[in-house]
Amino acid sequence: MLSSLTPPAACVILGPNHTGLGSPCSLMVEGEWETPLGSISLNAPLARLLIEHSKYLKEDPRAHLYEHSIEVQLPLLQAILGSDISLVPITLAPGDDLMYKDIAQALATGIKACGQKVLLIASSDMTHYEPQADAEKKDREAIRAILDLDAAALSEKIERLDISMCGAGPTAAVLIAAKHLGARHGKLVGYQTSGDTTGDISSVVGYAGVIIQ
């Protein structure tokens, strides 16, 4: 998926908060994140723009201390896009539609104002720990809403079908922000489950890659 993208100046990655630490909508402003492939600088000017335009986003490094949902994306970005990119990491605890719409508007406004090419990423697994056939059926419904850029439909399907997609909120915020920024459609570039690798299809986790343009 990333190999098809033009390297941006900055990346904003939204992921779920699995630990419960820090503010519900936590953003880091200054410093670097280190991986085995080197370090990535945080984009302080863009981070401050996002905080300025949102009543929910707060600077709070605590939420990022033990959280994995953003850092797992970084080696992929470094390997394919290089280490010259800068980063704004955002973790979101579960919230309501008003929160996601506020953050989405802040993302769109801040990205327009920063004067840089910015890549928005939502980090999430799909269905967790269900038989492969059930996971694939549920995930197809969630993916259809994502491809339609329909955050409301995604939320409705997750609730109605009990889809255990951990990054549903970050995904909804990115979908809304992308539409504000002119995106019109999504493209599914890959879907697999852990069972495709392990051979155990009795309890799998689903993974999907979607490009929003």
Side-chain angles (χ1 to χ4, degrees), residues 13-212:
I13 307 181
L14 288 78
N17 184 332
H18 291 92
T19 67
L21 297 175
S23 301
C25 305
S26 298
L27 179 152
M28 280 189 67
V29 175
E30 296 181 338
E32 294 182 335
W33 280 31
E34 294 184 359
T35 81
L37 299 182
S39 61
I40 296 178
S41 298
L42 299 188
N43 190 317
L46 177 55
R48 292 192 179 99
L49 278 172
L50 300 182
I51 292 173
E52 177 185 341
H53 291 288
S54 171
K55 66 179 182 180
Y56 292 97
L57 288 172
K58 308 296 180 185
E59 181 179 3
D60 193 342
R62 293 174 300 166
H64 300 273
L65 290 175
Y66 305 105
E67 179 54 59
H68 64 277
S69 61
I70 294 173
E71 68 178 18
V72 297
Q73 305 292 342
L74 300 184
L76 301 175
L77 289 168
Q78 289 172 299
I80 297 171
L81 301 179
S83 293
D84 291 335
I85 56 173
S86 59
L87 171 68
V88 178
I90 300 172
T91 62
L92 299 182
D96 57 23
D97 290 344
L98 289 177
M99 183 182 87
Y100 300 134
K101 289 178 180 178
D102 171 272
I103 292 170
Q105 184 62 62
L107 287 168
T109 303
I111 288 171
K112 288 177 181 177
C114 78
Q116 295 180 304
K117 184 178 177 67
V118 178
L119 175 65
L120 270 176
I121 298 175
S123 180
S124 179
D125 296 340
M126 302 300 289
T127 294
H128 293 64
Y129 310 126
E130 296 191 28
Q132 180 149 312
D134 295 340
E136 289 177 341
K137 183 177 180 180
K138 289 184 175 184
D139 289 345
R140 278 196 298 269
E141 293 297 318
I143 290 168
R144 185 174 295 117
I146 294 170
L147 294 176
D148 291 338
L149 312 190
D150 194 334
L154 177 63
S155 297
E156 186 276 330
K157 289 182 178 185
I158 285 172
E159 181 175 354
R160 175 169 53 85
L161 300 174
D162 192 25
I163 301 174
S164 52
M165 179 180 173
C166 56
T171 302
V174 167
L175 290 177
I176 298 168
K179 289 180 74 173
H180 285 317
L181 291 166
R184 295 184 177 181
H185 59 85
K187 177 183 178 183
L188 178 66
V189 295
Y191 174 81
Q192 289 183 302
T193 75
S194 56
D196 296 324
T197 299
T198 66
D200 179 3
I201 62 172
S202 64
S203 180
V204 306
V205 178
Y207 306 94
V210 178
I211 294 176
I212 304 299

